[in-house]
Amino acid sequence: MERRREILVGAVVVLGIAVGVIGTIWLKGGWGSNQVALRTASTSVGQLVAGASVKFRGVAVGRVEAVTVVPNGEAVMVDMTVRPDLAIPADAAVVIAPESFFGDWQAEITTREEYGSLTFYEHAEEGVLAGAVLPDFSRLTATADEIARRLTVMSDRFELAFTEETALNLRHLIDNLGLISDDLTTMIAQQAARFDELAVGVGESAREFTAAARVARTTIERVDGLLVGANVGTILGDAGESMENLKTLTGDMRVAMAEMRTAAQQGAATMTRLEALLASAESGQGLLGRLLGDQELADGTAAAMKNLNQLLADIKENPTRYLSFSIF
């Protein structure tokens, strides 16, 4: 009974191992009789080893058979087998990259356009796909650590240089630059306005100069026509006669100015006498002074003048009452 149980357990173990081997071989692409061989070359393959997965658009389509260095040592040749029904693109290339965080690598069949930033290695042998390798996570981590250290140094230096006082100075500088910019804008606007005014003035001056030039040209043409059509001697004689008349007129004006000067002197003497008369009247001297100073005399004089005016009026109305004429 126990022996039969041991035989049964051993058969189950052997069957499980067989199923595992057969399943693994089947998952890896079969027994290899109907697989298609591919080759690619790259300057480096990272940690890619035989048995690694070959993928196309994220799907496992084969496995890596061998990884060898080419004879001249300038590249690494990778032999692969893939499914026979795989349609490989015309511009196919192979990118060797980490498959997971646990150190597994893969060979991915892709196109050059999809990884345009990578530099693919072109092998001279015909039928070998161009290959390129992506850095593994350890290199990326080391590079990131180096970048972080450099950023830390730069941050320390920046913190050392950029103090609070520097920030305030920088703020003042920015404010001053803003004020300078505003002043420059205002000045440019003012200068532009002045240039516009200057341009308008220049245009008006040019127009006035052109008009003056036309008038001068017309005048010259008229003078030229006059000189051509007239007798120059007659014109000069008339000019001489005009000068004599002007000289005579100047003499007459001199005589008139002398007479005017004499009249002015006489007027000044009269004004002097009138001022003296007014002064004597104001002081009460003379008849006019007494009239101005004595109210009764002034009233009597006014009454006498009134009676005289009435008498003259009556004489005009009734002359026969006062005057009689007899011829015989």
Side-chain angles (χ1 to χ4, degrees):
M1 187 67 181
E2 293 180 359
R3 184 175 180 83
R4 184 181 298 178
R5 184 179 298 174
E6 292 176 357
I7 294 173
L8 182 60
V9 172
V12 171
V13 172
V14 172
L15 182 60
I17 293 173
V19 170
V21 172
I22 294 172
T24 302
I25 294 174
W26 181 77
L27 291 175
K28 292 293 185 178
W31 299 101
S33 59
N34 57 349
Q35 298 291 304
V36 176
L38 287 179
R39 304 186 79 189
T40 183
S42 177
T43 55
S44 176
V45 294
Q47 300 181 19
L48 187 69
V49 295
S53 177
V54 178
K55 293 184 179 180
F56 179 69
R57 300 187 184 277
V59 179
V61 295
R63 65 190 296 268
V64 175
E65 299 295 337
V67 179
T68 57
V69 180
V70 298
N72 58 9
E74 66 178 6
V76 179
M77 186 69 66
V78 179
D79 294 309
M80 304 174 291
T81 55
V82 297
R83 290 173 2 195
D85 59 344
L86 181 64
I88 300 176
D91 59 341
V94 177
V95 175
I96 301 171
E99 186 179 14
S100 65
F101 291 100
F102 304 103
D104 297 330
W105 281 62
Q106 67 178 8
E108 182 179 2
I109 300 174
T110 182
T111 59
R112 297 173 185 267
E113 183 179 358
E114 188 173 356
Y115 290 90
S117 61
L118 292 179
T119 302
F120 290 90
Y121 175 77
E122 300 286 350
H123 193 64
E125 185 179 347
E126 186 178 357
V128 177
L129 300 178
V133 62
L134 291 177
D136 58 359
F137 294 107
S138 59
R139 293 184 180 179
L140 291 176
T141 303
T143 303
D145 184 63
E146 181 66 21
I147 294 173
R149 285 198 299 270
R150 293 182 181 180
L151 287 176
T152 302
V153 174
M154 292 178 61
S155 177
D156 294 339
R157 293 178 179 177
F158 184 78
E159 184 178 358
L160 180 62
F162 197 78
T163 60
E164 184 178 358
E165 183 179 359
T166 305
L168 293 175
N169 293 333
L170 184 60
R171 180 179 179 181
H172 292 325
L173 176 61
I174 294 173
D175 294 338
N176 293 333
L177 287 177
L179 295 176
I180 293 173
S181 177
D182 295 338
D183 293 340
L184 286 176
T185 303
T186 304
M187 184 177 68
I188 291 173
Q190 293 176 354
Q191 294 299 324
R194 292 178 181 176
F195 277 122
D196 292 338
E197 295 176 357
L198 180 61
V200 173
V202 170
E204 293 179 355
S205 300
R207 288 192 293 271
E208 293 177 357
F209 183 76
T210 303
R214 283 201 214 94
V215 173
R217 182 176 180 181
T218 303
T219 304
I220 292 173
E221 290 177 353
R222 290 179 180 176
V223 171
D224 187 36
L226 182 63
L227 292 176
V228 172
N231 189 355
V232 179
T234 303
I235 294 174
L236 294 177
D238 293 340
E241 185 177 355
S242 298
M243 290 299 294
E244 291 295 333
N245 293 333
L246 182 61
K247 188 181 296 183
T248 303
L249 179 62
T250 303
D252 294 340
M253 288 181 66
R254 289 177 181 175
V255 174
M257 289 298 293
E259 292 178 354
M260 289 179 64
R261 188 179 295 108
T262 302
Q265 292 175 355
Q266 293 176 357
T270 302
M271 291 299 297
T272 302
R273 293 177 183 177
L274 181 60
E275 290 177 357
L277 179 61
L278 291 175
S280 61
E282 290 178 357
S283 61
Q285 297 178 2
L287 179 60
L288 183 58
R290 288 195 299 273
L291 287 174
L292 293 175
D294 192 348
Q295 185 64 35
E296 294 180 358
L297 180 60
D299 294 338
T301 303
M305 292 298 296
K306 182 177 181 181
N307 294 330
L308 180 61
N309 290 331
Q310 292 177 355
L311 177 62
L312 291 175
D314 188 48
I315 290 172
K316 289 180 179 180
E317 292 178 358
N318 304 301
T320 58
R321 181 184 299 177
Y322 301 98
L323 299 174
S324 61
F325 295 94
S326 176
I327 299 175
F328 302 99

